[in-house]
Amino acid sequence: MIYQSTYQAARIIAPKVEAIFAAHLAAAKDSGEDDLAPLPTAGIVEAIIDATFWASLRKEEGHSPKISLAFLPPQQAGNPLLFKSRLPLNPGTLTKIAPGVERAGVHLGVWEEEGALYIWGTTVSIPNFCFVLDVSEPALLVIKHRRIYGFGKFTNIAVLKGDQVKMVDGQSTSVPDCPPILLSLLDLTAPSYWNDSANVLIQLAVSMRAHGRGGTLLVVPNETNNWLQSIIKPIQYYVQPSFTGLSKLLQQDRKEASQIFWQTALKREVEHLAGLTAVDGATVISNQYELLAFGAKIGRAKGKDNVDEISFSEPITGGDGVVIHPSKVGGTRHLSAAQFVHDQRDATALVASQDGHFTIYTWSEHQGRVQAHRIDTLLL
């Protein structure tokens, strides 16, 4: 397939993307997996990225396109919506059709025949390791694939923003004390369900980031109240008794957890808790997902030192850990979260910034300091 792209980042990243998908598909075949997507070659990847990037910069009736494209033939799409006539894959077509397909879970189906790419319709069902390209805002593209067992968020491969290219690096999890949520986001854990602890945290993180106001979520042990030592009294919104809406859902049998009605209820409870993080102050939940407080002000625990250094990393190529002062990660919200984890070492802090950055703070016994993992590249 010969295609002359004008978006330079597409040309640079395409061979790397093909190699990643080729490795995933080969490993899946060797392990006996079926329902596997076709391999997106470098030429196909480049052409899809190029057309989508230029479409993302256009507007239709004042709105920028928010679309998701999936590379697969209609035969692998379950129950596809098929157009009578094929549509050419170009910025004009994508801009025009975008308003009708911007809802979550709807993909424009793209396929190739005789050297030309075309849009054949839409689908909400795609095979394992299917190449997906999402546009969430102008000039921001995310390459991802469906997880092999279909649960939870798609796994991100790369993020392109203008001339910036970030390739996700799965090897970044080889360091000790890597948080389970990061392993799950990189699809490096065993098959898990929607009510798996790490997957629920991922859903909370996505929802926190989506409200755009910034926020802090503290996850503390259910067995003790030590976390109160790091909270300024009085707590404006102390919840008594603790709210157990999400907790009770997660205790249900896993067979029930696969049902659509259960997943809908889970999403509602996740949105409920994540929405509270928009209130000034931190939201506190137990590791059993019981809501304990929100709007809580974090303070340094009595007898504890100020946190003056943390290990900061990002799971992308070139994002290896560096030791820095926590104020260099972000503002007061980040500094207070780092202090909280420094004092309460069995806790986890999730911090969403108004600019879209998202950071997880945990304690590393191996390093003897707080570690911060910036994961917004994986949440898009």
Side-chain angles (χ1 to χ4, degrees), residues 224-278:
T224 75
N225 286 325
N226 290 344
W227 62 273
L228 288 167
Q229 300 170 6
S230 297
I231 300 297
I232 298 172
K233 313 303 185 297
I235 301 175
Q236 188 166 7
Y237 304 109
Y238 205 166
V239 181
Q240 286 285 0
S242 58
F243 178 67
T244 58
L246 181 56
S247 178
K248 287 181 178 178
L249 270 178
L250 297 178
Q251 293 170 15
Q252 291 184 7
D253 183 80
R254 286 196 167 188
K255 289 183 179 179
E256 293 184 51
S258 64
Q259 303 301 314
I260 295 298
F261 76 87
W262 187 94
Q263 294 179 8
T264 301
L266 176 65
K267 182 177 181 180
R268 183 174 62 247
E269 294 295 345
V270 164
E271 296 288 337
H272 186 186
L273 282 189
L276 295 175
T277 64

Side-chain angles (χ1 to χ4, degrees), residues 207-208 211 214-217 237 239 243 269-285 291-296:
S207 185
M208 282 176 64
H211 65 57
T216 299
L217 180 68
Y237 304 109
V239 181
F243 178 67
E269 294 295 345
V270 164
E271 296 288 337
H272 186 186
L273 282 189
L276 295 175
T277 64
V279 176
D280 186 34
T283 297
V284 187
I285 64 173
L291 174 65
L292 307 176
F294 64 98

